Amino acid sequence: MTRIGIVAEMGQETRVAATPATVRQLLELGYDVVVEKGAGESASFRDDAYTAAGAVIGGANEAWGSDVVLKVNPPTGDEIDRLAEGATLIGMLSPGLRPELVDALAARPITALALDAVPRISRAQSMDVLSSMANIAGYRAVIEAAHEFGRFFTGQVTAAGKVPPARVLVAGAGVAGLAAIGAASSLGAIVRATDPRPEVADQVKSIGGTYLPVEVGEEMTSSDGYARATSEAYNARAAEIYTEQARDVDIIITTALIPGRPAPRLLTAADVAGMRPGSVIVDMAAGQGGNVEGSVAGERVVTDNGVVILGYTDFPARLPAQASQLYGTNLLNLLRLLTKDKDGQLRIDFDDVVQRSVTVVRNGEKTWPPPPVQVSAAPVSTVRAAVPAAGMTTATPGLSAAGKAGLLAAGIAVLFLINAVAPAPLPQHFTVLMLSVVVGFYVIGKVHHALHTPLMSVTNAISGIIVIGALLQVTSNDPLVQVLAAAAVLLASINIFGGFAVTRRMLGMFARGDRARP
């Protein structure tokens, strides 16, 4: 049976690749699990908890000698040498930034999977460790800023005077940025955000932030789920906004990163010098060069004018228990994909885009980089030709205004004709029908597109009033009428309960509050 080894991390890393909860689920996949002694101590997971979950506690050599080794950080050269021949290493390898590591892995007859290379497609979201860790990092960045900030985040009116709310600027509205926006907003701060992707504006607004657009006449869409490099015109206008905001806000949190490239510089030394004493900057990109001039990776810096710049690079590790649980769950979901038969046998299928994307080395053969995966987060715009090609005719346009008016007049005439000859109850029903059509049209047409799904589900549920009429017909003496009435009751009930269920789930996406822990 295949054995999985959970190894201890070196240095100051507090996370661990598996928790007792994920160990139980790894055993259900058919694997044996050995955990290096003390591997989870820094994350408050004791050895006896792993033993109770069904794992075996062993030494470092036993864990590193396993068939599959799970790790958090990239391995060192000595750790690569400890891997058994034919073993599979899974962890955050950053292959795009560490070509020398890829070469070192390919020099051994092993297989290496980079969990941080999972493509950002819908079915791979449960394995997206970058999003999991960025979510924690964004939240922790706000906590660190609040610790350094000398005042409340929320505004208050007290007997001693009025306290204004803190003003926070978040640069970059990716996963980390949105987590920071949500955390700062929940603490009562006034939150503003910038991002080159216009599609994030609604997300920023939904969690309590204000989106600051950088209007330069170009559309900055994403083709792979990540932000891309911006143009000179965008950078110039964005620099003006950052300078303006730096003079006004109390806290700035920068999260701008471009995969495979150094972090873009957003705040200059002049911008930092223009901030008030006691202001705080959290540079979450400090590990890749920094978004802020003057930030130092892993350190706290205080400028001459009293601005605190935090360049910490270990935000997820500052919440080790939660980070380990999310990371372990990401690993578990990847192993579920690789162990579909739950027989404890790991199989890699290169026809699967997810498995192909994460595979850096396969049996000693370098397979990085993988083929690109396009996952545009913005709708693809189409450009219509201004002049038709030769021999082609121009498409017939829609009805003219006169044609529409004629159809409207014909419809009104038909309605009046029916009401003139129909028996007594029918004209009233037709009047109610037409009024409901008009009201429904304007209700739907005047509502923001983002609310169409919950609104339409509610209107469909309300339309289930037809069940009342069906119930009145169930007692009919005609068997056919009874069958049709019963069917109407069933369908209308599905409409009612299903409509409200959909509405509840849609609106729940925007609700704030504590989420149940996994």
Side-chain angles (χ1 to χ4, degrees):
M1 187 176 293
T2 302
R3 185 178 68 187
I4 292 179
I6 312 300
V7 299
E9 301 296 322
M10 297 182 63
Q12 301 299 316
E13 180 59 64
T14 59
R15 292 170 293 178
V16 64
T19 67
T22 61
V23 163
R24 293 189 187 93
Q25 294 169 295
L26 290 174
L27 295 173
E28 293 175 359
L29 293 177
Y31 294 103
D32 288 334
V33 180
V34 57
V35 179
E36 182 178 346
K37 181 177 177 61
E41 290 290 340
S42 297
S44 301
F45 299 117
R46 305 175 69 90
D47 289 342
D48 54 1
Y50 286 107
T51 303
V56 175
I57 303 299
N61 291 334
E62 186 177 0
W64 278 101
S66 301
D67 304 302
V68 180
V69 176
L70 304 185
K71 201 176 184 308
V72 178
N73 291 326
T76 63
D78 292 339
E79 289 176 332
I80 294 176
D81 294 337
R82 301 176 74 174
L83 293 167
E85 291 189 3
T88 299
L89 173 68
I90 308 178
M92 291 193 293
L93 306 180
S94 302
L97 301 175
R98 300 172 181 267
E100 71 286 352
L101 174 61
V102 177
D103 293 336
L105 292 169
R108 293 289 318 281
I110 61 174
T111 298
L113 306 182
L115 193 60
D116 49 350
V118 171
R120 285 194 165 175
I121 58 178
S122 297
R123 68 184 183 88
Q125 288 180 356
S126 62
M127 314 167 209
D128 191 352
V129 68
L130 292 180
S131 294
S132 298
M133 297 301 102
N135 184 28
I136 295 175
Y139 170 83
R140 184 67 189 194
V142 174
I143 301 303
E144 295 292 340
H147 175 70
E148 295 286 350
F149 190 52
R151 301 198 304 271
F152 290 134
F153 262 47
T154 185
Q156 293 188 7
V157 178
T158 69
K162 183 178 180 181
V163 179
R167 291 182 291 268
V168 179
L169 173 67
V170 178
V175 177
L178 291 174
I181 294 168
S185 178
S186 65
L187 289 175
I190 297 174
V191 186
R192 305 160 188 167
T194 63
D195 194 278
R197 296 163 294 184
E199 60 265 26
V200 305
D202 287 340
Q203 300 176 44
V204 171
K205 184 178 179 181
S206 69
I207 56 177
T210 300
Y211 179 70
L212 303 178
V214 180
E215 299 174 349
V216 292
E218 62 177 324
E219 187 175 356
M220 303 296 297
T221 57
S222 170
S223 62
D224 58 1
Y226 298 93
R228 63 182 178 89
T230 53
S231 66
E232 292 184 3
Y234 180 93
N235 293 338
R237 176 58 189 137
E240 295 175 359
I241 292 179
Y242 289 129
T243 300
E244 296 167 359
Q245 292 297 317
R247 299 192 187 101
D248 183 57
V249 300
D250 304 300
I251 296 169
I252 299 179
I253 299 174
T254 63
T255 69
L257 284 174
I258 301 173
R261 299 182 59 176
R265 184 57 51 84
L266 303 181
L267 294 177
T268 65
D271 295 332
V272 176
M275 298 183 71
R276 290 183 293 271
S279 299
V280 180
I281 300 175
V282 182
D283 188 353
M284 298 183 63
Q288 291 182 224
N291 297 140
V292 182
E293 186 175 356
S295 68
V296 179
E299 296 186 13
R300 174 185 183 271
V301 176
V302 182
T303 65
D304 294 338
N305 61 320
V307 176
V308 178
I309 303 178
L310 303 180
Y312 301 150
T313 58
D314 60 345
F315 287 112
R318 291 172 181 251
L319 291 171
Q322 185 68 72
S324 298
Q325 181 61 50
L326 293 182
Y327 183 82
T329 302
N330 292 140
L331 272 174
L332 173 65
N333 290 327
L334 177 62
L335 287 170
R336 282 173 174 163
L337 179 65
L338 301 176
T339 321
K340 294 182 179 180
D341 296 332
K342 297 184 179 181
D343 56 356
Q345 298 298 319
L346 188 148
R347 302 177 181 87
I348 299 177
D349 180 10
F350 266 24
D351 292 331
D352 184 342
V353 65
V354 176
Q355 299 181 46
R356 176 63 186 91
S357 296
V358 301
T359 306
V360 177
V361 174
R362 187 178 190 183
N363 298 325
E365 179 183 355
K366 187 188 302 184
T367 59
W368 182 267
V373 179
Q374 296 295 326
V375 288
S376 176
V380 179
S381 60
T382 57
V383 180
R384 297 183 179 179
V387 180
M392 299 292 291
T393 58
T394 305
T396 303
L399 289 174
S400 63
K404 293 180 180 179
L407 286 178
L408 179 61
I412 294 175
V414 170
L415 178 62
F416 276 102
L417 181 61
I418 293 175
N419 285 337
V421 300
L426 199 55
Q428 291 88 336
H429 295 329
F430 264 97
T431 301
V432 173
L433 173 63
M434 295 308 299
L435 289 176
S436 63
V437 168
V438 172
V439 172
F441 174 79
Y442 281 102
V443 167
I444 298 296
K446 300 300 181 181
V447 170
H448 192 276
H449 293 171
L451 296 177
H452 273 182
T453 299
L455 178 63
M456 291 180 69
S457 64
V458 171
T459 55
N460 287 339
I462 295 175
S463 69
I465 193 67
I466 194 173
V467 73
I468 298 177
L471 288 173
L472 294 176
Q473 299 300 322
V474 168
T475 57
S476 174
N477 295 327
D478 190 338
L480 178 60
V481 174
Q482 292 179 350
V483 171
L484 293 176
V489 170
L490 175 63
L491 295 177
S493 300
I494 294 174
N495 198 22
I496 293 172
F497 296 108
F500 281 108
V502 170
T503 302
R504 184 181 182 87
R505 293 194 61 182
M506 287 293 297
L507 296 180
M509 294 173 61
F510 301 96
R512 297 180 185 174
D514 294 336
R515 302 293 184 186
R517 293 185 178 182

